[in-house]
Structures are given as structure tokens and as C-alpha cells.
């Protein structure tokens, strides 16, 4: 996980200066509330010890971090008022070296605080950090980052310095790209404005950060691009309170090829890792390339290319039982240079019979524009959302497609917003209700419409509003659970602090009644406000929901730059974003994912479960993942990668009433899509044996 910038930290100086405020800032002139002390010896301590052998401490002692990287002190800071707070740390450091700690507030990474030498262990000094706290108890953790551990920590003093700033900056404008090279490009833009001040800009590819620069910078060169690759770039602004702007205009371009003509090394040790009557699973060792990037591995069945994947595994389907097949693999770099073929491996499929979880292609259903979600009516017909056209389609199993109408008030974000999730009421036969998650002019929202089998209503009724939107990270999947409640995945809207703030609806999985009220058995119902709807939190951009035979909820989630996730959701659980991405970062105390993938291989969106096999539609990896839940129900087994590259970016996977699966592809999605390569389609998969 890339380190997050320490833009909120002030060391041995004023917090106002650290946030970029002028001396005349309205925040700087705010009245300062009384300070509250929190003695370190009364905090939660990990791998440290309470001591009293150096004079001058307050309270009954101090905490020695005990020369252990990862040791921490966690204070429970009870803020009477939300807003900007100055945290003053009293410490001693009798060594000659700085002893930095990572500052984490409610799971969010607030940068590094330096604790320089004080000259002696009996000499006590202070450093400060400026952070945003919510009203109520905030978990403030200081974690040693080096083998020297942290300083001797005496106490933390919390001082409220300014009210909450909820006004976001304006979007940066006039983004332009210049000097586009195979591995670099320069970007410039017109500055955003803010009621207080801009502290940073993030340069994004899709929803992922390529580079972060300071709030006074309006041009930057990104030098980690890949040759011969399509990019869509935008810039977002952030203020000191963490409020994100909407994104700038998007600049799309393709980097030129480099002069590299050297092919990658040959993939090694191609081998079979499993067979069924209709499939063969393969694995191989990674290739290397002088340019450092392998863009794909091409899998050949004889002379025919049958898969193209960024993974080191692939499962080839639609094979005949009791038949031998020979496979090879070649590696390809971004310039199109291909390696020689790997060793050949010949594998015989098994005899027919027996249930299995590996589906095979059955038929194309119909072409669509950007089909985001699918749900089936009792008669076997499906309703499908068109993200960017704002339409709801009726699609029959035979492929007949009818546009029923548009979702009123839906707008685009020219990115990941629009008409997203769809859920048909479990009582549709009597109430004819359907639920839609869509972007509106001021928010993301869940609304209710009616469809009586013939006519889609032209109006909608709001069910839940006020979900923050952005070009990226809108989440958007909705499904009714076995308990009859409506669940929704909500992204952090490009403000990672939302994920740990239970007063925000963003960065969460939400649970609500069909009428939009919050169920009284939700884990934070007693807290009131938006927290009443929170089922789990600490999510970046979840987009997949499904339940297994035990009634357990599984969810898939896009990572930032390291790892995508498959999570087994716990009621009230904290899944760690932004402090933890997958298993990388500061992950102690958070719920770990059951499976992770490099972000280049997955991009998990829709999730479906059939007979305790999980199927995950991969957008970035352009493949379907299949894995079986373990007998204990607490994990998953080996993951198979299916249909790699065949239909491109896969957005949703949905079980059909007749025992198959429907997949939707979304290659016209210019957030990483390549519409000139493949049409967007709905395809049907079938299970060749009883399943």
C-alpha cells in the first residue's frame, strides 16, 4: 500500500501552519476550547511497558515503546465537538535519533509524527499534530515505525481548535496533458477554490491515485506510466478537513510504444492444477521483462489462443470428457513483444458425471450498452440497469430486449456513477416494487419504482438519500438478504476518512428496511443518525454482495494500488480502509479478507453464490473467479480464473432461475475500458453436471 501523505501533521510547530492556513484564516481565529489530558499509562498498550524510572512525568508513569517496531499506544479521545483538534504529545527521547510514529485516528492514516531527541530521558518536550475528530470517542493510535520503537510517551493533550468544515473545494478545471512519453506525462490544471484552503491534489487514473502534490501546485509529471497503454486521467482537490472536490475534466490518451523490442522471458513450469470433465486448470511461473511490465499471458490450446490474463493461472472450459488437450503459454509486454512458448503440457479431462463448480459458456443473450446490474422476475425474465443511459431494460432468456424507461433524476459522473444497482422486491407479486441505486444531482441515493409486468413507473420514491457521490468510488450494489432487509454497498466517494466515520453513509455496507427506515437490530442503531444504517464499515469501494447457505454475507471490494479483497462480512465489523488495504498497511485490529488479488488481476465487482461456490466478476482482470467456500464456512479454497479476456471487463454475475449464470461485460466503460475491442454483452453460462 502506498504511503499516505503526512499533510495533517505539524511537528514542534503550530497546527494552523501545518494545515496551510494563513494567520487570518477563519479557523485560526476560532475560540480554543479547554484542553483534556490523556495519560499514556491509562491507554491501550501493545508491546510497550509502563515505567516510572525517569523523573518529570505526569500522572503515575509513562509508556516505554520498548524498542519494537509496531508497538503502539492507543488513546480513547472523547471529543465534545467535531472539527479540527490539536493533539499535543508530551515525551522524552534520550537518544540521538528521531523516533517517528505513525498516527492513526479511527483507523485512518494521518501521517508520521517525528519525536526528535530531547537530550535526556528526564527532559520532557512536546510535539503537535492537527487532525479532524468526530464528536464522541475517537481512537488515536501512535505506532512505532522503526526498530528503535517510539519515545517515552507521557501523555496526550487534546485541544479543540476549529469547528467542522463540511464545504468541499470546487473541482479543478482545464486539466491538460503534455509531453506524453512512453512512461511519463505532464499534467497542468487550473486551481480549485475552497472556503479555507486547498492542501493537496490527487492525480487519478480511474479511481486510483497516481500521484499526490501539495495544495499550491497546479502542474506535475507522473513518471510511472506504462508504454502503449490507454489512460484516463483526472485531478481532485482536498481541503484540510479531508473534503474532496468533484473531479476535474478527464484527459484520455494512449502512451506511445517504447523502443523496446526485447521479448519477456519464457513462462516457466507450466503445469495442470486440476481437471474436471469439462475443464483444465493451469498454472505457471512468472516471466520477467526488461521494461519491468508483463501486460498479459496468452494461453494456447494447441495453436488456438483460448485465454489472455494478467494472472499466473487460467482455467480452460468447454472441453470434452475423457479427452487429451495440449497447452502452452506465452508472455507479452506492453509493446506487443511475445516470448517463446512455455513447455507444453498435455492433460486429459475426467469422465462425465459428478457435480462441480466450474461453469462453461452456453450462449450470448443480447448486446447491451453498459449493463451494470441484473435481477430476475418470478417469470424468468430479467431487469437490467444501463448505467450511462439511465435505463431499465427487460431481457428475456431468449434475448429479447425491451427498454422499459429511464430512472427519473439520474445523472452521470462521467466515471463510475449513474444508474447502478437493482433489486426486485421479494414481495414483487403483491407490491410490484423495484429498488434502484443511482446518482442524482446532489448525491447517490436508493429509490423505489414500480413495474407491474408491463409498465415501469415514471416517478420514483426516495428510500435513502444523502450518500456522497464522486466520479469514482460510488459502490452501488443493492440486494435483499435472506432476512428480507435491503443491503447496499457504498464507496468512500474519494474521501477515505468517510470509511471510518460511522456518521457517514460512505465506505460502508448499509442495511435498511424496504421502507427506508433503519432496522433496530443494526449494530450502531443506538448511536442515531446515519450510523443507524451501518452494517459494516472500513470499506473503500465494495461492489459485490451474496449470501451462502449458512446465511453469511460475502462482499468484494476494489483496492487502491495493492490488493483487491473478498470479505466475509461481520455485523458491526471494521475492515480497515484506509489504514489497511487487503493485508498491507496498518492492519492490526481489523477484520482480514478471506482472499486478496493484486489490483491488476481482479477489480472485483459483482458476486454470486451457488451451492457455496462463489463467483466474482473481474473488471480490471477481465475474468471470472470461482472458488468454493470451505466446509467450516470460514474461508475459501483454490480460486479458478475463467474466461480470461474473452469478453473483457466483467461487471456483474447473477444466478438464473433455470440454474445458470448471466455475466455482463462493460467494455464501453471509458474508466479503463476499450470499446473498440469488444462489444458489451450479456452471456449465459451453464453447469455441465448437476450443481
Amino acid at each position: 500500500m502506498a504511503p499516505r501523505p503526512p499533510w495533517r501533521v505539524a511537528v514542534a510547530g503550530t497546527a494552523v501552519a501545518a494545515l496551510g492556513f494563513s494567520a487570518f484564516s477563519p479557523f485560526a481565529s476560532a475560540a480554543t476550547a479547554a484542553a483534556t489530558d490523556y495519560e499514556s499509562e491509562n491507554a491501550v498498550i501493545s508491546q510497550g511497558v509502563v515505567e516510572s524510572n525517569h523523573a518529570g512525568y505526569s500522572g503515575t508513569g509513562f509508556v516505554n515503546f520498548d524498542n519494537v517496531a509496531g508497538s503502539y499506544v492507543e488513546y480513547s479521545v472523547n471529543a465534545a465537538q467535531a472539527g479540527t483538534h490539536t493533539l499535543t504529545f508530551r515525551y522524552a527521547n534520550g537518544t540521538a535519533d528521531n523516533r517517528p510514529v505513525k498516527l492513526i485516528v479511527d483507523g485512518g492514516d494521518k501521517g508520521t509524527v517525528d519525536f526528535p531527541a530531547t537530550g535526556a530521558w528526564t527532559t520532557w518536550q512536546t510535539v503537535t499534530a492537527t487532525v479532524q475528530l468526530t464528536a464522541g470517542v475517537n481512537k488515536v493510535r501512535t505506532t512505532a515505525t522503526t526498530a528503535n520503537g517510539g519515545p517515552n510517551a507521557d501523555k496526550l493533550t487534546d485541544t479543540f481548535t476549529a469547528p467542522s468544515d463540511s464545504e468541499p473545494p470546487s473541482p479543478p478545471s482545464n486539466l491538460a496533458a503534455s509531453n506524453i512519453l512512453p512512461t511519463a506525462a505532464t499534467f497542468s490544471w487550473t486551481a480549485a477554490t475552497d472556503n479555507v484552503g486547498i492542501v493537496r491534489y490527487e492525480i487519478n487514473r480511474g479511481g486510483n491515485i497516481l500521484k499526490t502534490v501539495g495544495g499550491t501546485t497546479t502542474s506535475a509529471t507522473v513518471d510511472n506510466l506504462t508504454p502503449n497503454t490507454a489512460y484516463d486521467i483526472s485531478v481532485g482537490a482536498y481541503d484540510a478537513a479531508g473534503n474532496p472536490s468533484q473531479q476535474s475534466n478527464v484527459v484520455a490518451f494512449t502512451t506511445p510504444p517504447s523502443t523496446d523490442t526485447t521479448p519477456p522471458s519464457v513462462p516457466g513450469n507450466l503445469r495442470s492444477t486440476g481437471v474436471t470433465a469439462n475443464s483444465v486448470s493451469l498454472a505457471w511461473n512468472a516471466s520477467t521483462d526488461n521494461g519491468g511490465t508483463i501486460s498479459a499471458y496468452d494461453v494456447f490450446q494447441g495453436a488456438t489462443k483460448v485465454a489472455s490474463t494478467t494472472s499466473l493461472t487460467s482455467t480452460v472450459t468447454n472441453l470434452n470428457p475423457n479427452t487429451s488437450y495440449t497447452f502452452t503459454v506465452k508472455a507479452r509486454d506492453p509493446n506487443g513483444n511475445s516470448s517463446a512458448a512455455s513447455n507444453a503440457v498435455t492433460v486429459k479431462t475426467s469422465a462425465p458425471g459428478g457435480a462441480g463448480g466450474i461453469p462453461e459458456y452456453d450462449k450470448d443473450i443480447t448486446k447491451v450498452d453498459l449493463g451494470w446490474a441484473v435481477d430476475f422476475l418470478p417469470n424468468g425474465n430479467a431487469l437490467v440497469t444501463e448505467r450511462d443511459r439511465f435505463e431499465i431494460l427487460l431481457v428475456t432468456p431468449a434475448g429479447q430486449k425491451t427498454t422499459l424507461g429511464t430512472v427519473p433524476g439520474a445523472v452521470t459522473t462521467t466515471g463510475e456513477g449513474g444508474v447502478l444497482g437493482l433489486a426486485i422486491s421479494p414481495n414483487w407479486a403483491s407490491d410490484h416494487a423495484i429498488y434502484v441505486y443511482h446518482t442524482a444531482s446532489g448525491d447517490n441515493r436508493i429509490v423505489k419504482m414500480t413495474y407491474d409486468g408491463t409498465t415501469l413507473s415514471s416517478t420514483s420514491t426516495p428510500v435513502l438519500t444523502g450518500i456522497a457521490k464522486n466520479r469514482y468510488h460510488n459502490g452501488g450494489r443493492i440486494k435483499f438478504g435472506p432476512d428480507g432487509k435491503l443491503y447496499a454497498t457504498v464507496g468512500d466517494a474519494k474521501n477515505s476518512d468517510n470509511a471510518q466515520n460511522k456518521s457517514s453513509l460512505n465506505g460502508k455496507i448499509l442495511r435498511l428496511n424496504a421502507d427506508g427506515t433503519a432496522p433496530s437490530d443494526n449494530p450502531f442503531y443506538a448511536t442515531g443518525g446515519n450510523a443507524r444504517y451501518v452494517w459494516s464499515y472500513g470499506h473503500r469501494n465494495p461492489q459485490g454482495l451474496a449470501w451462502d447457505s449458512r446465511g453469511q454475507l460475502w462482499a468484494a471490494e476494489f483496492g487502491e494500488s495493492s490488493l483487491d479483497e473478498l470479505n466475509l462480512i461481520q455485523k458491526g465489523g471494521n475492515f480497515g480502509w484506509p489504514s489497511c488495504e487487503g493485508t498491507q498497511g496498518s492492519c492490526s485490529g481489523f477484520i482480514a479478507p478471506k482472499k486478496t488479488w493484486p489490483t491488476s488481476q481482479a477489480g472485483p465487482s459483482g458476486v454470486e453464490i451457488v451451492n457455496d461456490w462463489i463467483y466474482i466478476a473481474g473488471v480490471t482482470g477481465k475474468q471470472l473467479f470461482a472458488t468454493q467456500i470451505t466446509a467450516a464456512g470460514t474461508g475459501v479454497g483454490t480460486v479458478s480464473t475463467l474466461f480470461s479476456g474473452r469478453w473483457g471487463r466483467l461487471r456483474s454475475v447473477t444466478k438464473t432461475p433455470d440454474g445458470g449464470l448471466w455475466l455482463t461485460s462493460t467494455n464501453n466503460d471509458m474508466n479503463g475500458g476499450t470499446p473498440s475491442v469488444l462489444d458489451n454483452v450479456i452471456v449465459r453460462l451453464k453447469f455441465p453436471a448437476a450443481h
Side-chain angles (χ1 to χ4, degrees), residues 39 41 51-62 90 124 154:
E39 295 290 343
E41 64 271 21
E51 295 181 345
S52 57
N53 56 326
H54 298 301
Y57 56 83
S58 62
T60 60
F62 56 85
R90 189 171 189 264
W124 300 87
D154 182 34

Side-chain angles (χ1 to χ4, degrees), residues 1-4 8 104-110 492 495-501 507 537-540 557 560 574-582 584-587 590:
M1 181 176 179
R4 296 176 60 79
R8 291 182 177 161
I104 305 292
V105 177
D106 287 333
D109 188 342
K110 306 307 177 186
D492 66 12
N495 181 357
S496 59
D497 286 349
N498 283 336
Q500 293 295 325
N501 178 7
Y537 64 109
H539 299 289
R540 178 182 176 272
E557 181 168 342
E560 173 62 47
N574 186 347
F575 289 82
W577 177 255
S579 178
C580 178
E581 178 186 350
Q584 298 187 14
S586 299
C587 296
F590 301 120

Side-chain angles (χ1 to χ4, degrees), residues 302-343:
T304 303
K305 185 166 72 172
V306 292
S308 184
T309 179
T310 54
S311 304
L312 295 175
T313 63
S314 184
T315 297
V316 182
T317 63
N318 287 76
L319 303 179
N320 295 318
N322 277 329
T323 305
S324 294
Y325 295 90
T326 299
F327 301 95
T328 56
V329 176
K330 296 180 181 180
R332 178 162 39 90
D333 70 16
N335 288 306
N337 301 309
S338 290
S339 73
S342 70
N343 60 294

Side-chain angles (χ1 to χ4, degrees), residues 180-181 226-231 252-257:
I180 299 173
L181 303 174
T226 301
N228 199 29
T229 300
Y231 285 89
F253 60 90
T254 298
T255 51

Side-chain angles (χ1 to χ4, degrees), residues 211-272:
K211 189 170 186 175
T212 300
V213 297
T216 60
T217 302
T218 56
S219 66
T221 297
V222 177
D223 59 5
N224 58 348
L225 306 182
T226 301
N228 199 29
T229 300
Y231 285 89
D232 57 321
I233 304 297
S234 64
V235 174
Y238 289 78
D239 64 17
N243 297 310
S245 73
Q246 296 299 307
Q247 296 287 301
S248 71
N249 58 295
V250 172
V251 173
F253 60 90
T254 298
T255 51
S258 71
T259 58
D260 171 32
T261 59
T262 303
S265 65
V266 176
N269 191 27
L270 177 63
R271 58 203 182 273
S272 171

Side-chain angles (χ1 to χ4, degrees), residues 344-361:
V345 59
T346 300
V347 187
K348 186 175 183 179
T349 53
S350 60
I358 304 300
E360 61 183 18
Y361 168 73

